[in-house]
Amino acid sequence: MQICFKNISCSILMLCLFQNANAQLIKNVIIVDGTGAQSYKGAVRISGNKIAEVGNLTENQGEQVVDGKGKVLAPGFIDSHSHHFSSLMEHPEGIPNASQGVTSIIIGQDGESYLMDTLMAMMQAKPVAINVGTYTGHSTLRELAMGENDVLRKAKPSEIAQMKLMLASDLNNGSLGLSSGLEYEQAFYSAKEEVIDLAKVAAEHHTRYMSHIRSEDITIDDAMDEIIEIGRVTKMPVQVSHIKIGIKDKWNTANSYLLKLQKARAEGINITADVYPYNFWNSTLRVLFAKRDYENLESAQFAVDQVFDATASVLVQFAPMPSYKGKTIAAIAEERKETPAKTLIELIKLASKFKAANPNFKGTVEAIAAKGMSDQDVSAFISWPYSNICSDGNTGGHPRGYGSFPRVLGKYTRDEKLIPLETAIFKMTGLTAEHLGIKDRGLIAVGNYADLVLLDPVTVKDNATIQNSKALSTGIEMVWVNGQLIFQEQKATGKLPGVLIKK
Ligand SMILES: [Zn+2]
């Protein structure tokens, strides 16, 4: 071959053969290009890791051809709020993601992240099938600057200064922005001014802010105002993570919150949201106590009355007493001959004791899948023009980790006709990329990376449930990442072409 390259015409021929060997034609498909525009019949040619041509294409000699048999070809889905990374490191083929058509996950959510240099080293050491991007976590910065066990307070000016330096360095290394999880203890005690100071650093780096806001229940109005204020002061795009109304008194008022967000947008604040398509969430038992008073029976009773439905909320993890796993809080209360409120307090005590006795325990000590939203609100948030779809998922526990994207395509799009298919896919691809500041992905367009999913809109359906949270979805037929086929016939192909997405 080296000899051959001395001859110019021969090297051009070699180049052509090389290109053809690397080219793939996906023909006979309905293209939903991720812009939200009307779908159309056509074909897509991949060359190397990029999309080379789109339209009415004929086969070239020597290229691989996939007959799409009239199914839908869409850009690979981008999950803007994912907790799948540790499972991806264990199982690099990324089945929970690929089986949903997801080709990129965005981690570093809810304020907890790896710093970019750590993430780069991890991905270099272990290739994965799916692309990964990250935000820099506010709680992580707090833990680094204030000490891991000293974050239940406001940060001192010197600590904020240190956090700002670390954040700037991480943004320079390619982090997509600043994320916070203000409802969680590690950040709950931070002052608004601390968050704004850090957000300003993200804005100076032309990045973004996304937040699991300070409350999704009792003080949700103040929490919404806080993120709007951050958008106003910093003039950068801000995104509400997994938008929801988690308090029964305010159920079915999604439209009033959307009106508030629309008003902010009209004022010039670029505020958006992501949303997952379930009426139940998954978190720690502790978040049920808005005042963080875990032994207060009145607060526990408030949680039972207002924040979740004890008869429909399942303990999905409980290391101190594995026999409770899979049971509802109401059923456990009955077993313990207590009220559900008392049981909440006792379960949290058991979990704390377990953590103290097992400081090296790896994994989730306790988690609840809590029925805490109204269907009407979930639908309203999915249909808002400025929301994109996310999973907020992990592997196991809550079915969203395996089912979110097919659930929107099946239940909400095809069956309930809440939004057209083109809009649903826009909310999983083009709009998401826009919300995250990612270029070159999220659209079927020449020059973009060839992250693609072939799906059957007639059969696409989520199958994961609380009881069987890892059931694979139906109808996701083939998935490509950076031009390489990673998933086909419900199985990984073993290819690991995922890259680290940097700002
Ligand atoms: Zn969250």
Side-chain angles (χ1 to χ4, degrees), residues 38-220:
Q38 178 82 47
S39 62
Y40 59 96
K41 279 186 192 167
V44 169
R45 176 166 285 122
I46 301 172
S47 178
N49 58 359
K50 296 270 180 83
I51 295 171
E53 283 183 273
V54 183
N56 245 327
L57 310 174
T58 48
E59 294 177 32
N60 287 337
Q61 219 185 351
E63 72 183 345
Q64 290 178 48
V65 179
V66 171
D67 184 351
K69 296 181 178 153
K71 308 273 167 69
V72 164
L73 188 70
F77 306 148
I78 302 170
D79 187 349
S80 62
H81 189 112
S82 157
H83 297 285
H84 292 94
F85 187 70
S86 49
S87 82
L88 185 62
M89 280 285 115
E90 275 172 45
H91 304 285
E93 63 281 6
I95 287 290
N97 318 100
S99 62
Q100 298 190 57
V102 169
T103 54
S104 300
I105 59 171
I106 307 305
I107 60 169
Q109 301 298 340
D110 299 323
E112 296 279 356
S113 70
Y114 293 105
L115 294 182
M116 281 298 287
D117 42 10
T118 308
L119 186 59
M120 269 184 261
M122 287 172 93
M123 288 191 63
Q124 249 160 28
K126 189 133 195 191
V128 293
I130 312 288
N131 304 313
V132 178
T134 192
Y135 278 62
T136 304
H138 168 226
S139 298
T140 297
L141 296 174
R142 295 192 106 229
E143 283 162 356
L144 289 169
M146 301 163 68
E148 206 175 324
N149 298 314
D150 194 18
V151 288
L152 306 185
R153 60 174 174 88
K154 284 185 179 160
K156 298 173 197 152
S158 61
E159 291 162 338
I160 296 176
Q162 207 186 332
M163 286 189 245
K164 285 164 76 171
L165 286 176
M166 288 188 285
L167 174 60
S169 143
D170 216 39
L171 294 167
N172 286 334
N173 285 338
S175 157
L176 299 172
L178 173 68
S179 92
S180 69
L182 300 179
E183 192 171 24
Y184 293 104
E185 282 167 328
Q186 295 87 335
F188 184 73
Y189 300 96
S190 64
K192 184 166 83 180
E193 293 67 30
E194 169 187 329
V195 184
I196 288 180
D197 263 9
L198 289 168
K200 280 181 180 165
V201 175
E204 282 159 16
H205 286 75
H206 307 288
T207 61
R208 284 137 203 280
Y209 173 74
M210 69 159 76
S211 179
H212 174 145
I213 58 176
R214 214 176 281 264
S215 166
E216 299 179 324
D217 42 70
I218 303 184
T219 53
I220 180 174

Side-chain angles (χ1 to χ4, degrees), residues 15-56:
L15 196 64
C16 294
L17 286 174
F18 177 73
Q19 278 189 342
N20 272 352
N22 254 303
Q24 303 169 62
L25 183 73
I26 308 169
K27 66 170 193 182
N28 190 16
V29 288
I30 308 286
I31 296 173
V32 178
D33 67 5
T35 63
Q38 178 82 47
S39 62
Y40 59 96
K41 279 186 192 167
V44 169
R45 176 166 285 122
I46 301 172
S47 178
N49 58 359
K50 296 270 180 83
I51 295 171
E53 283 183 273
V54 183
N56 245 327

Side-chain angles (χ1 to χ4, degrees), residues 199-365:
K200 280 181 180 165
V201 175
E204 282 159 16
H205 286 75
H206 307 288
T207 61
R208 284 137 203 280
Y209 173 74
M210 69 159 76
S211 179
H212 174 145
I213 58 176
R214 214 176 281 264
S215 166
E216 299 179 324
D217 42 70
I218 303 184
T219 53
I220 180 174
D221 294 72
D222 295 342
M224 288 278 188
D225 287 340
E226 183 178 21
I227 189 170
I228 290 170
E229 171 77 2
I230 291 169
R232 182 181 290 122
V233 171
T234 62
K235 299 187 173 59
M236 76 175 153
V238 295
Q239 172 141 314
V240 180
S241 292
H242 45 59
I243 191 167
K244 66 173 73 74
I245 299 171
I247 182 156
K248 289 179 194 167
D249 264 356
K250 292 181 179 164
W251 277 4
N252 304 329
T253 64
N255 285 336
S256 74
Y257 288 96
L258 291 174
L259 200 65
K260 190 187 192 72
L261 298 183
Q262 283 297 143
K263 271 190 190 152
R265 290 188 63 87
E267 192 193 310
I269 298 165
N270 184 354
I271 188 161
T272 57
D274 55 29
V275 57
Y276 59 81
Y278 294 86
N279 63 13
F280 54 99
W281 46 260
N282 183 81
S283 195
T284 67
L285 289 162
R286 290 170 168 246
V287 303
L288 290 166
F289 291 74
K291 295 184 198 146
R292 308 295 177 269
D293 49 351
Y294 309 115
E295 300 198 3
N296 185 328
L297 194 59
E298 211 175 300
S299 296
Q301 192 58 50
F302 180 83
V304 171
D305 294 339
Q306 279 295 336
V307 187
F308 79 116
D309 180 348
T311 64
S313 299
V314 175
L315 211 54
V316 289
Q317 274 303 338
F318 200 67
M321 198 86 91
S323 68
Y324 287 170
K325 188 179 158 179
K327 291 180 181 163
T328 65
I329 299 297
I332 297 168
E334 208 174 290
E335 201 177 305
R336 295 172 58 93
K337 302 190 180 11
E338 293 165 350
T339 63
K342 178 83 175 130
T343 293
L344 275 188
I345 291 173
E346 294 305 317
L347 292 176
I348 289 173
K349 273 190 205 160
L350 284 170
S352 299
K353 268 190 204 153
F354 181 88
K355 276 182 214 166
N358 302 277
N360 297 320
F361 180 79
K362 293 262 180 287
T364 311
V365 174

Side-chain angles (χ1 to χ4, degrees), residues 330-464:
I332 297 168
E334 208 174 290
E335 201 177 305
R336 295 172 58 93
K337 302 190 180 11
E338 293 165 350
T339 63
K342 178 83 175 130
T343 293
L344 275 188
I345 291 173
E346 294 305 317
L347 292 176
I348 289 173
K349 273 190 205 160
L350 284 170
S352 299
K353 268 190 204 153
F354 181 88
K355 276 182 214 166
N358 302 277
N360 297 320
F361 180 79
K362 293 262 180 287
T364 311
V365 174
E366 50 94 357
I368 179 176
K371 161 85 171 76
M373 293 167 248
S374 88
D375 289 316
Q376 190 184 315
D377 290 338
V378 173
S379 294
F381 288 135
I382 290 174
S383 358
W384 189 44
Y386 303 98
S387 71
N388 68 264
I389 306 302
C390 70
S391 75
D392 195 10
N394 201 330
T395 171
H398 189 299
R400 65 193 178 189
Y402 277 73
S404 292
F405 290 79
R407 185 172 172 86
V408 169
L409 295 171
K411 174 180 160 69
Y412 289 96
T413 303
R414 179 193 56 232
D415 300 345
E416 297 181 8
K417 298 187 171 43
L418 182 68
I419 45 176
L421 180 65
E422 287 88 344
T423 305
I425 286 175
F426 173 55
K427 283 172 170 284
M428 299 173 178
T429 58
L431 184 65
T432 316
E434 206 179 298
H435 287 176
L436 299 166
I438 294 175
K439 304 255 172 1
D440 305 330
R441 297 186 196 273
L443 299 179
I444 294 185
V446 172
N448 265 25
Y449 287 99
D451 294 345
L452 297 163
V453 53
L454 184 72
L455 64 94
D456 186 343
V458 179
T459 61
V460 68
K461 182 181 182 298
D462 63 300
N463 296 315

